[in-house]
Amino acid sequence: MMDHKNLDKAMEIFAYLITGETISTTSHGELYDAYSNQAEVYDILDAVLKKSNLRLYEYKNSLYVTAGDENRVFGYTNDELKKVIGLRLNKELFLAYLIIYDIMTLFYENSASDAALTYVRTDMVIDSVTAMLSEVMARLQVIVQNEIEENSFRTLALLWDELPIVTENDDLSTLKAARGSRTGFVKLVFNFLISQNLFVEAGGKYYITDRMRALTENYFDSCKGRLYEMIEQSRRTDSGEEEENAAY
């Protein structure tokens, strides 16, 4: 029979997590201990999160949650997300997704890649997104599975190409987030990440929080997705071509 104390602890953890609070050894330590050491608390919380279409991530003895796919209660619809970020068109939202994905790759650590960055600036992300789109577009016919994917990437590449680094009237020292330039667009994404407690900014440098680190590592270690497959395939193709050319 279920222990009601364990049920109460599991639901208390759930209540904190869905309001954006962190359960850790230093914040709500008693609840973290219950999650870690009491199997029934773990099982109850796991069941409730699955029923709520939420995903639990653990990083450095801390627990975080994020909404699962198409979660209409705890997540955003596309229209809601466009409004929150400050965008108008779906293609702009998909470009924002791509920029977030690129930022995640810059901070992700694994043995097969270069050391992860400790911070990013707008110019670093602009250069990285430009290089990523260049890699994909150069091998688009090889990596896409259907016309929808092809058209989607062509649309994103065209939108990115049409954006100037800055607009003519921009003052770099006071440049604000806006849709009219690459720099302004990236800053829109940065501002969104800050609002979600995924980024902190200091002197023009943007650092990811432990919450973002947890989401990033979980994505690359467990979830991945079609975007990941396409980007990685374009890079493997590029690497393979370089090796083939080097042989001659």
Side-chain angles (χ1 to χ4, degrees), residues 99 122 125-126 160 181-191:
I99 292 171
T122 52
V125 173
I126 289 170
W160 186 250
S181 69
R182 294 183 188 182
T183 302
F185 202 104
V186 169
K187 284 196 171 185
L188 282 176
V189 174
F190 283 176
N191 288 348

Side-chain angles (χ1 to χ4, degrees), residues 138-153:
R139 296 155 187 84
L140 194 60
Q141 296 298 325
V142 177
I143 63 178
V144 295
Q145 293 182 345
N146 53 56
E147 188 175 346
I148 294 176
E149 289 184 350
E150 180 178 352
N151 290 338
S152 295
F153 264 99

Side-chain angles (χ1 to χ4, degrees), residues 86-207:
L87 306 173
R88 296 179 183 176
L89 306 174
N90 283 338
K91 64 181 180 180
E92 293 174 336
L93 178 59
F94 298 145
L95 179 58
Y97 286 150
L98 185 69
I99 292 171
I100 292 172
Y101 173 86
D102 183 73
I103 291 170
M104 291 168 64
T105 66
L106 296 176
F107 284 109
Y108 177 61
E109 296 182 33
N110 68 65
S111 58
S113 66
D114 295 332
L117 300 177
T118 57
Y119 67 85
V120 293
R121 300 186 307 268
T122 52
D123 60 304
M124 295 163 65
V125 173
I126 289 170
D127 290 345
S128 185
V129 171
T130 300
M132 177 188 293
L133 281 171
S134 178
E135 289 175 348
V136 172
M137 295 307 296
R139 296 155 187 84
L140 194 60
Q141 296 298 325
V142 177
I143 63 178
V144 295
Q145 293 182 345
N146 53 56
E147 188 175 346
I148 294 176
E149 289 184 350
E150 180 178 352
N151 290 338
S152 295
F153 264 99
R154 289 192 185 281
T155 299
L156 292 182
L158 180 60
L159 174 59
W160 186 250
D161 285 344
E162 290 177 342
L163 290 173
I165 301 297
V166 295
T167 61
E168 291 182 2
N169 297 324
D170 282 335
D171 178 354
L172 288 177
S173 63
T174 60
L175 184 61
K176 297 181 180 179
R179 298 162 49 250
S181 69
R182 294 183 188 182
T183 302
F185 202 104
V186 169
K187 284 196 171 185
L188 282 176
V189 174
F190 283 176
N191 288 348
F192 170 71
L193 295 177
I194 290 172
S195 74
Q196 301 299 305
N197 193 28
L198 300 172
F199 252 25
V200 291
E201 186 267 341
K205 296 177 180 178
Y206 296 81
Y207 302 81

